[in-house]
Amino acid sequence: MRCLIGAVFLISFLGKISGPGKFDSFVESVHGMRTVPSRAARPVARVVLAAEGSVCLLLAVPATAGALAGFTLSAGLLMSFAVAIALSVRRGVRAPCRCFGASAVPLRLWHAVRNLLLTACAAGGAVAATGSGQVHVGGAVLAVFGGLLLGGLVTVLDDLFALFRPGGGSDRPVRPPQAA
């Protein structure tokens, strides 16, 4: 769970700062969601970025307290993101999901569902972090690999869905050819 949640937040964090204009695009998407006042979009974006970076650092700490704090912070963020996305979608907002940086895919309800599922993973990780058990090297390697793989997969779901959407990934509905 540390690797899954950590990878999701690390990719999200890096996607928002990894190039010129990336952070400004994220600020625009926060503004476009219409869940905070216009003047608050940039400060909210900064807080989100700081919190995402903090999740990564906390989950990297080998101590139980660090993992527990990282999972708790990530669950709170993910739940907040899910609520904000659901509100935006309900209002008919078609702002792009800049969750992981450059995506131009409009917000959809499934983005909120994805975040709720990740919230459940973070909650499960918090519970697991408080348990005491022996670590088996083979199991740990498999868990790290699986978590990183799933975390990476979560961050490219928009792209994967676009590959299989009718119309070559276009966001517009495909219209059947007209009869002559």
Side-chain angles (χ1 to χ4, degrees):
M1 290 301 167
R2 279 187 194 209
C3 290
L4 166 63
I5 300 298
V8 166
F9 277 93
L10 181 61
I11 293 167
S12 179
F13 176 82
L14 293 175
K16 292 174 180 123
I17 63 165
S18 65
K22 296 281 186 151
F23 182 71
D24 289 336
S25 292
F26 176 57
V27 171
E28 287 175 29
S29 72
V30 170
H31 177 264
M33 290 177 70
R34 297 186 299 182
T35 56
V36 297
S38 296
R39 68 185 179 285
R42 186 167 294 277
V44 166
R46 285 184 180 134
V47 168
V48 167
L49 195 63
E52 288 179 344
S54 296
V55 166
C56 297
L57 293 174
L58 288 166
L59 291 178
V61 173
T64 300
L68 191 55
F71 283 128
T72 303
L73 178 57
S74 66
L77 282 169
L78 290 161
M79 184 61 74
S80 299
F81 297 161
V83 169
I85 291 168
L87 287 173
S88 294
V89 169
R90 184 171 181 186
R91 292 179 184 147
V93 171
R94 302 289 290 163
C97 175
R98 300 271 191 222
C99 307
F100 301 109
S103 178
V105 173
L107 289 171
R108 295 205 172 113
L109 192 56
W110 88 262
H111 290 108
V113 171
R114 173 199 62 203
N115 287 341
L116 290 174
L117 291 172
L118 287 170
T119 301
C121 289
V127 170
T130 60
S132 61
Q134 288 187 317
V135 175
H136 300 284
V137 175
V141 169
L142 184 61
V144 166
F145 179 74
L148 292 174
L149 182 65
L150 285 174
L153 184 64
V154 164
T155 65
V156 296
L157 280 177
D158 281 339
D159 298 326
L160 291 174
F161 288 157
L163 285 174
F164 298 104
R165 189 175 299 130
S170 170
D171 199 50
R172 290 175 282 163
V174 176
R175 299 185 193 277
Q178 298 293 324

